[in-house]
Amino acid sequence: MTIFAKILRGEIPCHRVYEDEHVLAFLDIGPLSDGHLLVIPKEAKAHIHELSDDSAAAIGRVLPRLARAVMAVTGATAYNILQNNGAAAHQAVMHVHFHIIPKLGSAGLGVGWNAGSLDAARAAELVKSMQAALSR
Ligand code: AMP
């Protein structure tokens, strides 16, 4: 069982900010900046691609509201929403979670972004195969 499942079961305390039928939001104990918030579905899934439409919709419904609260309280005008899937993608807790991370001066999320350039033939191939995958 993950640490977030234990939080959901009330076995471990958290600094709860918001809760509804499908979603819990609480402060990250290792914040990248003041007000760093975690938003999790109550559904116990490790990765976002495994999430039910209902859980996904419930998170999508509250994320903007929670972001507004983080902005209002911290004074941040910029923030990142981060959602890691898989250890190789920096996921440490294997229960879906969204980080809301205010950018406060130099505090916040540091992003490495090694952009390439999109090749036209590869783009056409990707569009075709992704659309096929979506229709399966
Ligand atoms: P990730 O690398 O996306 O899996 O991030 C996991 C996050 O969970 C980290 O930012 C941790 O600081 C945070 N975290 C781990 N345990 C707890 C906990 N008990 N309460 C609040 N946040 C936690």
Side-chain angles (χ1 to χ4, degrees), residues 3-4 7 12-15 26-32 36 38 82-87 89-95 97-99 101:
I3 195 147
F4 291 173
I7 286 174
I12 288 178
C14 73
H15 299 280
F26 52 96
L27 296 176
D28 194 301
I29 46 161
L32 291 181
H36 182 163
L38 294 175
L82 175 70
Q83 199 275 315
N84 300 325
N85 294 279
H90 213 280
Q91 184 179 10
V93 179
M94 294 300 156
H95 183 117
H97 53 281
F98 288 73
H99 300 256
I101 311 167

Side-chain angles (χ1 to χ4, degrees), residues 1-48:
M1 186 188 301
T2 68
I3 195 147
F4 291 173
K6 289 181 181 166
I7 286 174
L8 284 167
R9 289 158 65 113
E11 293 171 11
I12 288 178
C14 73
H15 299 280
R16 185 178 58 185
V17 169
Y18 172 85
E19 182 166 13
D20 66 29
E21 189 191 344
H22 295 289
V23 179
L24 178 70
F26 52 96
L27 296 176
D28 194 301
I29 46 161
L32 291 181
S33 58
D34 190 45
H36 182 163
L37 193 63
L38 294 175
V39 187
I40 71 171
K42 292 189 173 174
E43 187 180 11
K45 289 286 160 52
H47 309 112
I48 198 166

Side-chain angles (χ1 to χ4, degrees), residues 41-117:
K42 292 189 173 174
E43 187 180 11
K45 289 286 160 52
H47 309 112
I48 198 166
H49 58 267
E50 298 167 319
L51 218 50
S52 67
D53 286 354
D54 280 349
S55 284
I59 287 182
R61 202 157 40 233
V62 295
L63 267 179
R65 204 171 349 138
L66 292 168
R68 285 194 291 276
V70 168
M71 292 177 80
V73 167
T74 63
T77 54
Y79 60 93
N80 293 93
I81 292 184
L82 175 70
Q83 199 275 315
N84 300 325
N85 294 279
H90 213 280
Q91 184 179 10
V93 179
M94 294 300 156
H95 183 117
V96 172
H97 53 281
F98 288 73
H99 300 256
I100 302 179
I101 311 167
K103 195 72 186 172
L104 296 165
S106 61
L109 181 68
V111 180
W113 195 278
N114 301 319
S117 68

